[in-house]
Amino acid sequence: MLRFLHPLTAQVTYTRWLHLLMPSAAVSVWLFISMDTPWVPVVLAALVGLIPGMRLAEGIQAQLLLTPAERGAPDATISVAPSTSWSERWRTALWLEVRLLCAGLAGLATVWLPATTVDLVRAALGSEPSGEWFATGLGPHWWAVFLAPVPLLIMFPVIVGCGELITAAARWLLGPTPVQRLTVLEERTEQLLERNRIARELHDSIGHALTVAVVQAGAARAARDPEFTERALVAIEETGRCALEDLERVLRVLRESGTPPGQRPSLIEADRLLDSARGAGAKVDAEVSGPLEQVPGSVSREGYRILQESLTNALRHSRAAPVRVRISVAEGRLELEVTNPFTGSTGTPGGGTGLRGIRERAALLGGNAKTGLYEGEWMVHASLPLDRIR
């Protein structure tokens, strides 16, 4: 029973009622001017619907009154924009005709049914009904009082039904076209991809800095050597400063959508990573061959992050073990390989968020990455094509 009474207490019922009655007022004014031409408002509605700005106005009204936001977010199923094609103009014209039809039914129920209730009450009190409403010809009868609530009981379902009908029509006729829906989905996909990329950037950059800092601090405490402690603090400071620069780059992307991606670090700055790893106590044997400066920006930037995560993984699990880095550019591909002795704590092949991020970065560029044990060593090998990047 409460479920049937819920529309009577819902705010949206009355905002939709107001939306339905707004055209009724305009039509009533015209009928007062000329009762002989009731078709004029219908023709005018069709013509007005062809005006591009009318779709914007109707969309705003529909969002505010038919689908009021419960949590501050507007209803995306109703677009708020001017018409940009003849298809949208014709749909807006049809919407206005449907709105007039629903407004006429709701206006009839709003005026005639309560007036009929008043007539029935008058009939129960011994007065003759006015003859203008639905109680015409009933005559004065005491039992008419039992019929008085019936028109009101009919009115509310009619109003609620008209509200649901006009809302469904708004979502159909004022809603986004298939092309607009596809555009929204593409924008949403781009946003998700950007969020995923930013998450990887933060994971790789901050994770690398924290790993270096932890390794350096642990080594300094174990060494109990003031000179070594001084070098460790300098390395921690430099690594932290680089991490802050990377963090600033990521935050700039969040604040300014137009920030060029070229401001992100690339493989040309690989020495910074290698020096950071050496400062953390790792023995890094690096070999670079080929023109890194000719590597496309997107490949160079992702290669930098792959190298960063690989070194972070080696420092986290192998401490001061030797690390071998090989970077080569030849035959249209960038080959990047990082190996270090397996200590039994590196993890299983394919595990870990960082390792998954390495494979995702390579896959997005049309390449591939392999991680796992090879001849007793832990290896990360990424192969990225250069000719597919424009």
Side-chain angles (χ1 to χ4, degrees):
M1 183 64 180
L2 294 177
R3 184 164 61 89
F4 292 102
L5 296 178
H6 175 70
L8 298 180
T9 61
Q11 175 185 354
V12 68
T13 299
Y14 300 96
T15 58
R16 289 175 178 176
W17 196 352
L18 175 61
H19 185 272
L20 288 166
L21 293 181
M22 289 169 64
S24 298
V27 173
S28 298
V29 171
W30 176 258
L31 293 179
F32 179 78
I33 296 173
S34 175
M35 287 289 295
D36 298 331
T37 56
W39 49 268
V40 171
V42 178
V43 175
L44 287 177
L47 296 176
V48 169
L50 300 179
I51 301 174
M54 199 62 188
R55 187 175 184 82
L56 172 62
E58 290 296 317
I60 293 174
Q61 287 186 51
Q63 279 197 352
L64 292 177
L65 298 178
L66 298 182
T67 58
E70 296 181 358
R71 295 178 177 84
D75 189 352
T77 60
I78 299 177
S79 61
V80 180
S83 300
T84 56
S85 65
W86 279 103
S87 174
E88 290 184 347
R89 295 183 184 184
W90 288 117
R91 290 174 67 188
T92 306
L94 179 57
W95 152 256
L96 290 176
E97 299 298 333
V98 173
R99 186 177 180 184
L100 280 179
L101 177 63
C102 292
L105 182 58
L108 184 67
T110 301
V111 175
W112 285 68
L113 292 176
T116 300
T117 293
V118 174
D119 255 12
L120 290 173
V121 172
R122 291 179 58 193
L125 296 176
S127 301
E128 190 73 24
S130 64
E132 298 178 1
W133 319 111
F134 292 123
T136 302
L138 179 64
H141 299 285
W142 64 269
W143 44 262
V145 69
F146 296 106
L147 298 177
V150 174
L152 297 180
L153 294 176
I154 295 174
M155 181 185 68
F156 282 104
V158 170
I159 296 300
V160 172
C162 287
E164 293 290 342
L165 178 61
I166 196 66
T167 302
R171 286 172 173 154
W172 175 44
L173 296 171
L174 296 181
T177 63
V179 174
Q180 292 172 331
R181 291 192 182 97
L182 182 59
T183 302
V184 171
L185 288 176
E186 290 176 348
E187 291 175 353
R188 177 62 176 166
T189 301
E190 289 295 329
Q191 291 173 359
L192 292 176
L193 289 175
E194 182 66 10
R195 288 176 57 185
N196 190 34
R197 186 188 67 78
I198 291 174
R200 288 199 303 266
E201 293 283 324
L202 290 175
H203 173 273
D204 295 347
S205 178
I206 306 304
H208 175 77
L210 291 177
T211 298
V212 171
V214 169
V215 171
Q216 289 279 26
R221 184 177 61 179
R224 300 183 183 278
D225 180 353
E227 185 177 350
F228 182 86
T229 301
E230 179 69 20
R231 290 199 305 270
L233 290 175
V234 171
I236 291 174
E237 180 184 3
E238 292 177 352
T239 304
R241 185 179 295 109
C242 293
L244 287 175
E245 291 176 1
D246 285 344
L247 180 60
E248 180 61 27
R249 289 190 185 99
V250 174
L251 294 179
R252 192 180 300 117
V253 171
L254 291 174
R255 290 193 299 264
E256 305 172 9
S257 59
T259 300
Q263 294 184 8
R264 293 161 52 198
S266 63
L267 274 179
I268 299 177
E269 305 172 63
D271 288 342
R272 190 178 76 175
L273 291 177
L274 300 176
D275 292 340
S276 176
R278 292 188 181 105
K283 300 176 182 179
V284 181
D285 174 22
E287 180 181 321
V288 180
S289 62
L292 286 182
E293 65 278 0
Q294 295 182 12
V295 175
S298 57
V299 178
S300 187
R301 289 187 292 269
E302 297 304 324
Y304 178 93
R305 292 307 185 189
I306 291 174
L307 175 60
Q308 185 178 55
E309 176 58 30
S310 302
L311 291 174
T312 301
N313 192 59
L315 290 172
R316 182 181 296 122
H317 299 291
S318 300
R319 300 293 178 178
V323 180
R324 187 171 64 254
V325 177
R326 298 291 182 266
I327 304 174
S328 67
V329 180
E331 299 180 357
R333 300 189 75 85
L334 169 67
E335 303 289 340
L336 191 153
E337 183 176 291
V338 179
T339 58
N340 59 276
F342 178 65
T343 62
S345 61
T346 309
T348 58
T353 303
L355 299 181
R356 184 171 66 248
I358 289 175
R359 292 190 292 270
E360 288 176 353
R361 289 179 185 277
L364 285 174
L365 295 173
N368 59 79
K370 298 179 181 178
T371 61
L373 287 174
Y374 181 75
E375 296 182 354
E377 292 185 315
W378 183 264
M379 181 185 69
V380 175
H381 180 87
S383 179
L384 309 177
L386 307 182
D387 54 350
R388 293 181 57 181
I389 307 300
R390 297 290 183 267

